[in-house]
Amino acid sequence: MNDTPGWTSPGSASPDGQDGTGVPRPASPADANGSAPQWSKEQPPAGQWQPPTAPAPGIPAPARAQSGTGWGGGPHPQWGPAPAAKPGVIPLRPLTMGEILDGAVTTMRRYWQVVLTISVTVAVISQVADILSQRYLVPGTPKVDADASPAEQLSQTADAVQSTMTGMVPAILIAMIATLVCAALLTVVISRAVLGRPVTIGAAWQEARPRVLPLIGLTLLLAVMSVAISVVAMLPGLLAGSAPLAAAGLLAGVVVVVWLGIRFSLASPALMLERQGIFKAMARSAKLVQGSWWRIFGITILTQLLIFVFSMIVAIPFTMIAMLLSPEGIGGLLSGTSPENSWSFLITTGIGGVIIGAVTYPISAGVTALLYVDQRIRREALDLELARAAGLPGYGG
């Protein structure tokens, strides 16, 4: 039953002799004589009620529903929530995984000059450090003595891996720092892209420059923390001389490192956009991630999987070309001579690495920044502040 004046439900009993329209039913002649009305035995078929929004069978829909206009030529009323405002690359509401990925790609496509300049520069720096490390610091392919015992072969392999990892440490640190600096600059670009405002490289660097040192400190702290957790987890097995126990400890350490990595994954944009210190940014990230760990973990894993697939698509052809251009060629590889330290091999694979970095850095940084924006929209109604900052009507100055 509807309390609106003049409306009752179809077929319901109407008070005071009304017929359901709010208008009194006129009395019949039988009512005037004071006797019960006499109805004919032949009655028309019962009425078939239809929902108000659906036309009766065989009757076309009203013209206003087809033309999109209502009574009097006005706009057709729209049912359901109004679409969210979208001044930039994302709608200002809680985002889906597809919208986060699309926002990162749209930012790269719409502001490609700024984005590619930043990402290509960082990729070149990372690849140069990697090439120099592999050329001068990393030994060649380890040679294991075939006549040695299994324990000696295992020891030789472990020594070779240790030498390789030690030689790659400078390149890894440079790549981590360069990647995070790239993420910082791209975070500034994305923060403007959300509002639909372009930004120049100079303006992005001017805003990001005061935060570079804290970002480097954050990167090193997270790296040292990850290594320390892994070493502590393996320590019981190493002290006991038990390889299975050390492997189990390493696995447990990796689980803890992944959990902490997701928990602090939003520290970089918090440090950049909120001007937080290192530890406050980490605490801010932990607060934003709380209750959404699995969602952020899933989006991060999917993003990294897409990046890995794209990297393999680009890296495999460049690796094959590098082998063909190396002095030993494919035959040298089959004969056991490794071309990995030759200049031709390193430069060719480095070109492929630059292409990979130029595309994947903006995607990775964009997803991280938009995850931060999404979590603040969900928890703190950041969409209202963004709409106000974008100057949308109806949100204040």
Side-chain angles (χ1 to χ4, degrees), residues 28 30 35-40 43:
S28 62
S35 59
Q38 301 296 322
W39 302 103
S40 171
Q43 296 294 324

Side-chain angles (χ1 to χ4, degrees), residues 254-392:
V254 169
V255 171
V256 175
V257 168
V258 170
W259 182 79
L260 291 176
I262 298 300
R263 185 175 176 84
F264 299 136
S265 61
L266 304 184
S268 173
L271 188 147
M272 282 296 304
L273 300 180
E274 299 183 23
R275 300 293 191 269
Q276 299 280 3
I278 294 176
F279 294 102
K280 288 186 177 180
M282 294 172 67
R284 181 75 167 131
S285 174
K287 181 179 179 181
L288 291 174
V289 173
Q290 186 177 8
S292 302
W293 191 94
W294 284 107
R295 178 175 179 272
I296 296 176
F297 173 76
I299 295 175
T300 303
I301 289 297
L302 177 61
T303 303
Q304 295 304 316
L305 179 61
L306 294 176
I307 289 175
F308 174 77
V309 171
F310 174 80
S311 301
M312 290 298 100
I313 292 175
V314 176
I316 291 175
F318 274 91
T319 302
M320 298 300 296
I321 295 174
M323 290 180 179
L324 293 175
L325 295 178
S326 64
E328 295 82 5
I330 298 294
L333 182 65
L334 297 177
S335 63
T337 304
S338 174
E340 294 177 358
N341 286 350
S342 64
W343 281 113
S344 59
F345 184 89
L346 293 175
I347 292 175
T348 305
T349 55
I351 294 173
V354 170
I355 296 174
I356 293 171
V359 176
T360 58
Y361 286 166
I363 300 298
S364 179
V367 169
T368 301
L370 293 178
L371 273 173
Y372 164 83
V373 173
D374 175 60
Q375 288 302 112
R376 288 200 60 186
I377 288 176
R378 294 173 182 271
R379 292 179 177 271
E380 303 170 358
L382 181 65
D383 51 332
L384 301 180
E385 297 183 18
L386 293 175
R388 200 158 31 242
L392 299 181

